[in-house]
Amino acid sequence: MRNLLTLLIFTVTFASTASSLLRIPAANVTLEHLDPTLPPALTTKTPPKCSVLVLHHVFANTAGEPPAVSNYTHPPECPFPWPRVVLELTISASDVQKDRIAAVWLDGAELLRTATPVPMAPGTFWTVQKDVTRYTALFRRLCGSSGITTTGIVSMMLENSNATLPGVFAANVTLHFYRGPLSGERFGYVVHPTAKDLYRRPADIILPVSQDNGECGAGFWFRVENDTDIPAAAVAIPRNTQRAVLEIFASYHAHDESWYANPLRSAYDGGGSFANGGFRQIYATVDGQFAGGHIPFPVIYPGSINPYFWSPVAAIGAFNLPTYDLDLTPFLSYLLDGQPHEIGLGVRDSQPYWLLAGNLHLWVDEWSDLVSAGVVEIKAPPLKVNRHAEWRNSDGGSEINAEGLVRFSGWVSSSEGNMTTTVRQKVKFRSQVEVQNRGAVSQVEMTNKERTSIAVLKSGQQTISRVQVFVEAPLQLQTSRVKAMGGALFEKARVSHQLQEVVNLNENGQALEVSVLMDKQEAEGSLLKRDGQSQPVWGSGSSRSSYKYRDRNSCYLRSLTAVEGIVKADLMSASCASTEMAEA
Ligand SMILES: *[C@@H]1O[C@H](CO)[C@@H](O)[C@H](O)[C@H]1NC(C)=O
Ligand SMILES: *[C@@H]1O[C@H](CO)[C@@H](O)[C@H](O)[C@H]1NC(C)=O
Ligand SMILES: *[C@@H]1O[C@H](CO)[C@@H](O)[C@H](O)[C@H]1NC(C)=O
Ligand SMILES: *[C@@H]1O[C@H](CO)[C@@H](O)[C@H](O)[C@H]1NC(C)=O
Ligand SMILES: *[C@@H]1O[C@H](CO)[C@@H](O)[C@H](O)[C@H]1NC(C)=O
Ligand SMILES: *[C@@H]1O[C@H](CO)[C@@H](O)[C@H](O)[C@H]1NC(C)=O
């Protein structure tokens, strides 16, 4: 009741435009926004040898414009090889603005997909660091040349508009190159969660699967409008390719911006088009044939549910949107003829619209110009999806259960021998969306469990390597709405979200690495919206987050509490001893 009284006062006080209302006095909020989903990629122990500012751009009115582009020349004092390369994106917002999606490409291959926070005060800033060691092939062979130096093209998209809200984003993209051993790391390589074990040895060649797939293109995402829209790029791969992994970048927009909360009908929510249920699957095709997929992790954008939840601590994965890997090695026999083949990207059950791009990572046989390959088994029955919906007017419920098992197996005979790669993936998914009290109360529950294993056998018997990835992502979301005076809407919400990822790597029968990422986030708060406006006029929120990453050598732990835009507690530890005690 007290909240309702407060909101009445607010409706009266803040009767002007949304832009002025989002503004919180700068002294009262933490200006630096954070997303600690992953441990920091830049180590403090060993500083990078070279740091190069590769792009600086101010994004003001850039909706519908091509990406900002700059020429990149590699610093001669940092020659290949590098034990680690880190991309750092620093952005500051001049004023209040909506959240936007941005991406960075090098020579047409996407390096980072990110969401900006909702800047609520002038001077809001944040930094995204990503381990980009897996893209070594791109930094090593830049595709253009001017005189004796080779140059690459760095580009960045951030479609902003400063027409209604004044904020412009000033962005810097910096690359950090390390040389020499990194202290405390094994294999001469970093087992950072973004350097998943599929990329433990970076690829030799990376080919973009995107809009502008010209070899030195600026790069650009594909726009996917719906279920049947499957854009493709024609890609010709070297005939000595012995391993291929497709990495897919994705973000969702408009009617699918919060797909994880969509009901299985469109009449709900004022006849809106937020429909198709809370299930999506991102997948790839090779010459039209299904080649594997993943249910996306539902990253909650900084403007979603309640922007005050995600200020200044972003939702899990928001600053570095997860990418989805498909090992395409079993399909190599279709691709090794030297001709271009169509690699397509799609989203099952999608609504307008998704932005997708892919990078095809290729490892070649340096000792021969030609390898031979064959398919052993391609068993990919479509996911079994059960949909159930019962609605009466605005109330009701939808439930979607999905389950599936795929198996792709193929051999490649190269100078290393005859290797059979078998990819197995098991998925179990459940989504429930319920709406009651004439649309006033809604409840969303989702869980996705995915187990993927990639095993490589030599001469059909000896296991050379096995990578297992187990991902679990439960999400719960409750919202209740009350109509207030003057058509305003008072909304209370609560979110609980987790990302758990366990990676096991075995080589020659020995366990090489086990890593566990366990992130949890809880947020609750309220919002006041004026009728017909998507921007809230008032809001409040608090969040508690904990991030834990552990592998055989290290443990990283961070826990954060944020209340009303201010970080109240921020604990960081390079040892998990304290929590182990707490858990025991
Ligand atoms: C902001 O902080 C100042 C000083 O700490 C305080 O006087 C003021 O009431 C606060 N404003 C709001 C809107 O919380
Ligand atoms: C990049 O270099 C090329 C060739 O030297 C030049 O034509 C182009 O204008 C440069 N682009 C930018 C953004 O500086
Ligand atoms: C970007 O780099 C320039 C030049 O080093 C610096 O003046 C500016 O403050 C940086 N901006 C951000 C947002 O980091
Ligand atoms: C948008 O930003 C640009 C660059 O800062 C500025 O020149 C322009 O006046 C702004 N437009 C509006 C409508 O504020
Ligand atoms: C799906 O999107 C494509 C491409 O925009 C469009 O041509 C087609 O009509 C759409 N199909 C449906 C069923 O909306
Ligand atoms: C490689 O092994 C597979 C099955 O183990 C076999 O069918 C294939 O003929 C072998 N290829 C070569 C070139 O030996």
Side-chain angles (χ1 to χ4, degrees):
M1 260 313 157
R2 213 185 70 90
N3 277 334
L4 275 174
L5 286 177
T6 326
L7 87 87
L8 296 182
I9 294 162
F10 274 104
T11 5
V12 176
T13 324
F14 296 114
S16 58
T17 64
S19 61
S20 61
L21 297 168
L22 262 177
R23 201 187 307 263
I24 295 176
N28 297 46
V29 294
T30 304
L31 287 177
E32 180 171 15
H33 284 236
L34 307 157
D35 171 10
T37 298
L38 301 170
L42 275 178
T43 58
T44 44
K45 247 193 217 161
T46 324
K49 171 94 184 289
C50 302
S51 298
V52 197
L53 177 66
V54 295
L55 186 137
H56 170 75
H57 194 80
V58 178
F59 296 88
N61 234 323
T62 45
E65 302 244 308
V69 173
S70 82
N71 285 331
Y72 167 66
T73 341
H74 188 74
E77 64 278 20
C78 274
F80 174 79
W82 313 285
R84 186 188 271 185
V85 185
V86 175
L87 180 149
E88 186 175 36
L89 170 65
T90 306
I91 302 186
S92 72
S94 66
D95 210 324
V96 297
Q97 188 48 269
K98 285 190 192 173
D99 54 335
R100 309 285 182 187
I101 287 290
V104 177
W105 291 264
L106 175 64
D107 286 344
E110 189 162 340
L111 303 181
L112 172 73
R113 183 79 60 96
T114 183
T116 75
V118 173
M120 297 194 182
T124 298
F125 69 99
W126 65 101
T127 296
V128 186
Q129 291 173 2
K130 180 173 177 180
D131 184 318
V132 291
T133 316
R134 67 170 70 169
Y135 308 109
T136 291
L138 297 170
F139 303 114
R140 199 179 161 187
R141 275 185 294 271
L142 297 169
C143 64
S145 68
S146 64
I148 48 162
T149 54
T150 58
T151 56
I153 294 172
V154 176
S155 45
M156 179 170 170
M157 280 282 277
L158 194 168
E159 290 184 86
N160 188 32
S161 160
N162 63 341
T164 22
L165 293 170
V168 303
F169 295 104
N172 284 353
V173 181
T174 306
L175 289 173
H176 301 280
F177 293 90
Y178 288 80
R179 288 278 293 162
L182 295 173
S183 54
E185 269 122 4
R186 303 187 310 142
F187 325 124
Y189 188 72
V190 187
V191 186
H192 191 267
T194 53
K196 268 192 217 132
D197 293 282
L198 293 182
Y199 305 98
R200 207 164 58 88
R201 187 166 72 79
D204 302 307
I205 296 169
I206 296 171
L207 300 175
V209 177
S210 61
Q211 188 74 265
D212 177 0
N213 65 341
E215 208 169 313
C216 284
F220 201 24
W221 41 46
F222 284 128
R223 188 175 158 126
V224 171
E225 294 294 339
N226 55 45
D227 199 42
T228 53
D229 189 10
I230 308 167
V235 178
I237 71 168
R239 303 192 69 183
N240 59 345
T241 302
Q242 52 180 346
R243 198 177 154 224
V245 173
L246 179 66
E247 175 193 34
I248 305 172
F249 289 80
S251 53
Y252 28 89
H253 307 271
H255 304 319
D256 260 0
E257 188 169 308
S258 49
W259 59 270
Y260 46 83
N262 283 12
L264 255 178
R265 55 175 263 158
S266 55
Y268 161 73
D269 215 356
S273 22
F274 298 91
N276 281 15
F279 163 80
R280 301 288 180 273
Q281 184 193 28
I282 297 172
Y283 64 92
T285 58
V286 172
D287 290 332
Q289 180 178 12
F290 178 83
H294 289 281
I295 291 170
F297 175 76
V299 174
I300 302 170
Y301 292 155
S304 294
I305 304 171
N306 177 341
Y308 296 85
F309 288 1
W310 322 120
S311 174
V313 181
I316 296 170
F319 285 7
N320 179 4
L321 300 186
T323 54
Y324 303 93
D325 298 319
L326 299 174
D327 193 318
L328 299 185
T329 312
F331 294 86
L332 277 180
S333 66
Y334 302 135
L335 304 173
L336 287 172
D337 57 3
Q339 300 301 312
H341 290 269
E342 297 277 315
I343 310 281
L345 300 175
V347 184
R348 189 162 168 187
D349 286 4
S350 61
Q351 299 194 108
Y353 61 97
W354 287 62
L355 296 173
L356 299 184
N359 287 328
L360 187 58
H361 295 248
L362 303 172
W363 289 260
V364 299
D365 183 359
E366 291 184 20
W367 302 96
S368 60
D369 304 318
L370 206 63
V371 302
S372 57
V375 168
V376 175
E377 182 185 29
I378 294 206
K379 211 168 153 186
L383 273 182
K384 271 185 256 153
V385 183
N386 281 309
R387 298 177 176 84
H388 181 75
E390 259 176 57
W391 294 87
R392 286 187 70 193
N393 301 322
S394 57
D395 286 4
S398 324
E399 186 175 327
I400 302 180
N401 287 286
E403 221 175 282
L405 187 65
V406 298
R407 204 176 131 101
F408 304 114
S409 184
W411 58 267
V412 177
S413 181
S414 69
S415 65
E416 284 175 24
N418 187 349
M419 308 286 192
T420 303
T421 301
T422 304
V423 179
R424 281 192 196 82
Q425 189 203 45
K426 201 174 163 186
V427 174
K428 203 163 158 53
F429 172 89
R430 182 183 170 88
S431 152
Q432 278 177 297
V433 177
E434 274 176 37
V435 179
Q436 290 155 359
N437 292 7
R438 273 168 288 151
V441 178
S442 76
Q443 184 142 338
V444 172
E445 263 192 60
M446 172 195 284
T447 38
N448 179 33
K449 290 185 192 175
E450 209 180 85
R451 185 185 288 274
T452 309
S453 94
I454 300 162
V456 181
L457 256 70
K458 190 169 183 172
S459 310
Q461 348 168 346
Q462 184 198 353
T463 304
I464 298 293
S465 72
R466 172 175 280 129
V467 178
Q468 289 170 298
V469 182
F470 181 67
V471 180
E472 193 169 340
L475 169 69
Q476 279 142 31
L477 162 62
Q478 285 125 33
T479 328
S480 59
R481 294 168 199 180
V482 185
K483 280 229 168 73
M485 255 168 69
L489 206 59
F490 181 71
E491 231 176 67
K492 278 175 85 163
R494 177 196 289 267
V495 182
S496 164
H497 201 188
Q498 288 185 42
L499 170 63
Q500 296 170 22
E501 188 178 272
V502 180
V503 180
N504 281 312
L505 170 70
N506 280 266
E507 251 173 37
N508 300 310
Q510 291 207 323
L512 259 196
E513 190 53 75
V514 181
S515 69
V516 181
L517 180 75
M518 199 157 303
D519 292 344
K520 291 184 195 167
Q521 207 166 35
E522 268 160 28
E524 60 185 312
S526 325
L527 268 190
L528 182 68
K529 285 179 181 170
R530 292 195 67 76
D531 206 19
Q533 280 187 2
S534 60
Q535 292 287 313
V537 291
W538 172 85
S540 97
S542 63
S543 70
R544 283 156 51 111
S545 323
S546 86
Y547 310 89
K548 188 166 162 184
Y549 175 71
R550 185 212 298 261
D551 62 21
R552 287 177 131 201
N553 308 304
S554 59
C555 190
Y556 161 85
L557 183 76
R558 187 158 183 191
S559 67
L560 278 152
T561 309
V563 180
E564 311 299 355
I566 301 170
V567 173
K568 293 285 186 193
D570 183 356
L571 302 170
M572 209 186 308
S573 150
S575 117
C576 292
S578 53
T579 46
E580 264 153 25
M581 278 162 61
E583 279 164 3

